Amino acid sequence: MSKCVCMIAEFRGGNFRRVSFEVASEGKRIADSLGLSLCGIAVGSGVADKAADLGRYGVDKVFVADDPALENYVAEAYVPVVAEIVAKCDPAVIVLPASVDGKDLGARLAGRLQAGLAQDCTEVVCENGAVKAKRPIFAGKCFAWCEWAEGALPVISCRPNVMDCFAPMEDKRAEIEKVDVSIPAARSRVTGVDLDTSGKVELTEAEIIISGGRGMKGPENYALIEELAGLLGAAVGASRAAVDSGWRPHSDQVGQTGKVVNPNLYIAVGISGAIQHLAGMGSSKFIVAVNKDPEAPIFSKADYGIVEDLFSFIPAFKEEVEKHKSTCS
Amino acid sequence: MLEDLLKKGGLAVNIAVLLKQTPDTESVIRIAGDGKSIVTDDLKWIINPYDEFAVEVALRLKEKHGGSVVIVSWGPQRVVESIRTALAMGADSGVLIDDEALEGSDSLGVAKALAAAVQELNPDIVLCGSRAVDYDEGQRGAMVAELLGWPHLALGVAVDSDGSKVQIDRPIEGGKVAAEADLPAVATLGGSHAVWNPRYASLPGIMKAKKKPLANKKLADLGVDPSECGAGAAKIRVTALEMPPERAAGRIINGDLDTAGKARELVRALHEEAKVI
């Protein structure tokens, strides 16, 4: 079989996660540059019914491993299954999501395949028939270009929200090949799944983020930015200072020891802008800073700065956003 | 002796922590003259924070069940200081793989060396950070587990063990998952300082640490062929570094505007100029 580019989709709760389509689109761009076809790997429980949808994003053929035992991601169970399919389709490049599970799968898979893995890539280019990938290091303080040794298999995990996703080609369907997989008896298992159904937007996937820092003065004041976030469909983040003070859960922390985010709009409220925070949000497309200290380093990164007390500004801003929404709708 | 007895009863756990030394998170990163590495002259070196969480978790499990904690690291002799810090926190011994053949290794090469060291130590649990704050390769734990043929659990924000299994809570996008693995197993740590609150080394701890065993090893001591994990074996390499694009100077919205006026102007700018709302 001729070589292909291979994308690995992520299936959870009965649907492909959006990042799968971004990865398919990126896979298609790479495949076109290299003159190869694009294969997909879809693993999960109930995934067979949805797999053809990957065709809308340029996948020619999807290898499907559908088994109730694959309901939840467990590295030990998924990796042999994926590796078996990889051996079948003999890819020149593998792309997958740099999601929580995707990064883990990629690492164990690269170990099994003795391949070179570049995690969390933000750009992939093809030169002279080979791929090069760019990835943030030091939480975005710097970027590294990676290249692969002759004969090594590139495995590239793509950071969510970065790669352009094609407009779906509604009438296109991928060819499906079901694979009979032998799932090894795993010594690890998922014992509980607790999905947040509150509709809260995940930080790393949010288009708009509003983060509060030390200037919020206490956990009770976060209601201010939560209301604003509700209005804008935004996720709420926090600086390390706020998390260390116990005001916000660690899962909200943005920065070098928290999450690295890249929304369209990042609103930093009462955040001075320590270097480790700037590293985590510096790649946001637009940055707004609200801080009463005009010397705060955050202003050097902000597209729009508001030097004002947040407790008077945020309610006023919320009111204006409400007005704006009512005139737009 | 007592520890061995406890272990037979399925209680004590021997833990290896894979520890990387990284530049302090407050460091300013500059690209070196070769264009593909960073300037390291003036850097302050620390234990990778996520590995420090792993040390903390290991010590808590040891306090609960008995057993031992060994620190396994790699790199030049400056790494000794970080291992000693972990020993001062309460770990029992250390191994440093200091072999220049590891210069230019990729994650897989490092994982091979670490897996060999772990194999020799034969622990029940291997703990390490889910990532390192320098190159953020995010591969070490899962790769070592794969090379050892052990199960692994990633990104724990709560970890426990009863001596026969290890359990974690793991945040995923929009929720969390509880998972467990039979020992021996690898678990990697997520979370933050606020979650783990890693202990500081006490003064008596620092004194004791000086006398704790710390072995320097070469790859050959671990039965690893340097040609299989050094630069020559690397599947992937960094060929260039670049700084993020400088952000164009922003605009402070002030003028003679009052609070409401600034709010109105910001909404206008976000809608008309940035087109993000």
Side-chain angles (χ1 to χ4, degrees), chain A residues 76 108 186-188, chain B residues 145 149-153 180-187:
Chain A
E76 222 191 339
R108 189 149 186 150
R187 292 150 298 171
S188 50
Chain B
W150 291 9
H152 86 271
L153 306 173
E180 64 175 29
D182 303 335
L183 301 186
V186 177

Side-chain angles (χ1 to χ4, degrees), chain A:
Chain A
M1 189 193 281
S2 71
K3 281 213 168 194
C4 61
V5 171
C6 184
M7 63 78 57
I8 304 175
E10 186 165 314
F11 189 74
R12 186 186 292 158
N15 288 298
F16 287 115
R17 298 193 60 244
R18 182 190 150 82
V19 65
S20 305
F21 306 136
E22 295 169 11
V23 167
S25 303
E26 190 61 26
K28 176 67 175 163
R29 282 187 284 270
I30 298 168
D32 285 350
S33 302
L34 300 178
L36 301 173
S37 65
L38 177 62
C39 289
I41 297 180
V43 176
S45 174
V47 69
D49 298 340
K50 301 272 179 139
D53 291 355
L54 292 172
R56 293 175 180 172
Y57 298 90
V59 181
D60 298 302
K61 178 177 183 179
V62 186
F63 293 87
V64 177
D66 190 339
D67 192 297
L70 298 168
E71 168 79 32
N72 292 308
Y73 170 77
V74 174
E76 222 191 339
Y78 268 51
V79 167
V81 169
V82 172
E84 204 178 310
I85 300 174
V86 167
K88 247 182 206 292
C89 59
D90 188 26
V93 179
I94 297 176
V95 285
L96 75 166
S99 55
V100 170
D101 289 345
K103 282 202 252 188
D104 189 55
L105 173 72
R108 189 149 186 150
L109 183 67
R112 172 159 296 214
L113 301 174
Q114 300 281 299
L117 168 63
Q119 293 275 41
D120 215 17
C121 295
T122 54
E123 193 178 340
V124 182
V125 296
C126 300
E127 275 176 12
N128 308 320
V131 289
K132 268 171 73 170
K134 182 174 151 182
R135 52 185 304 273
I137 57 174
F138 295 92
K141 286 178 189 169
C142 191
F143 284 84
W145 279 102
C146 303
E147 294 181 43
W148 280 263
E150 188 82 36
L153 170 63
V155 181
I156 299 170
S157 74
C158 302
R159 172 176 282 201
N161 246 3
V162 174
M163 307 298 188
D164 282 333
C165 195
F166 294 138
M169 300 170 269
E170 293 301 342
D171 53 342
K172 237 194 122 212
R173 288 284 176 278
E175 182 193 336
I176 300 290
E177 182 174 332
K178 288 194 184 176
V179 182
D180 280 325
V181 289
S182 43
I183 302 160
R187 292 150 298 171
S188 50
R189 58 209 73 88
V190 166
T191 54
V193 179
D194 181 8
L195 289 179
D196 185 352
T197 50
S198 67
K200 199 176 139 195
V201 189
E202 164 67 22
L203 270 180
T204 52
E205 297 175 350
E207 305 251 334
I208 302 179
I209 294 173
I210 310 176
S211 279
R214 201 191 299 275
M216 297 300 294
K217 293 194 174 146
E220 64 283 3
N221 296 326
Y222 276 80
L224 259 185
I225 55 179
E226 270 164 359
E227 286 164 15
L228 181 58
L231 207 53
L232 291 169
V236 175
S239 69
R240 181 174 162 187
V243 172
D244 281 357
S245 303
W247 301 348
R248 301 298 289 177
H250 71 90
S251 53
D252 287 1
Q253 187 172 321
V254 172
Q256 200 168 354
T257 50
K259 287 177 177 155
V260 175
V261 298
N262 45 292
N264 283 330
L265 173 61
Y266 188 90
I267 306 180
V269 181
I271 291 175
S272 64
I275 186 166
Q276 85 112 4
H277 187 79
L278 298 177
M281 44 64 83
S283 65
S284 305
K285 287 193 190 78
F286 283 90
I287 296 173
V288 172
V290 181
N291 202 302
K292 64 182 175 189
D293 174 11
E295 303 298 321
I298 190 78
F299 287 119
S300 71
K301 292 275 177 182
D303 298 281
Y304 302 109
I306 305 282
V307 182
E308 180 114 24
D309 183 64
L310 71 94
F311 294 101
S312 51
F313 182 76
I314 295 298
F317 181 54
K318 183 175 157 249
E319 198 173 310
E320 289 300 326
V321 172
E322 273 166 351
K323 277 190 213 161
H324 170 76
K325 292 260 163 191
S326 63
T327 53
C328 282
S329 57

Side-chain angles (χ1 to χ4, degrees), chain B residues 219-220 223-230:
Chain B
L219 290 170
V224 179
D225 181 347
S227 70
E228 278 178 23
C229 61

Side-chain angles (χ1 to χ4, degrees), chain B residues 107-125:
Chain B
S107 293
L108 184 61
V110 171
K112 283 178 183 170
L114 292 173
V118 168
Q119 210 145 28
E120 202 174 88
L121 294 162
N122 195 28
D124 304 299
I125 304 177

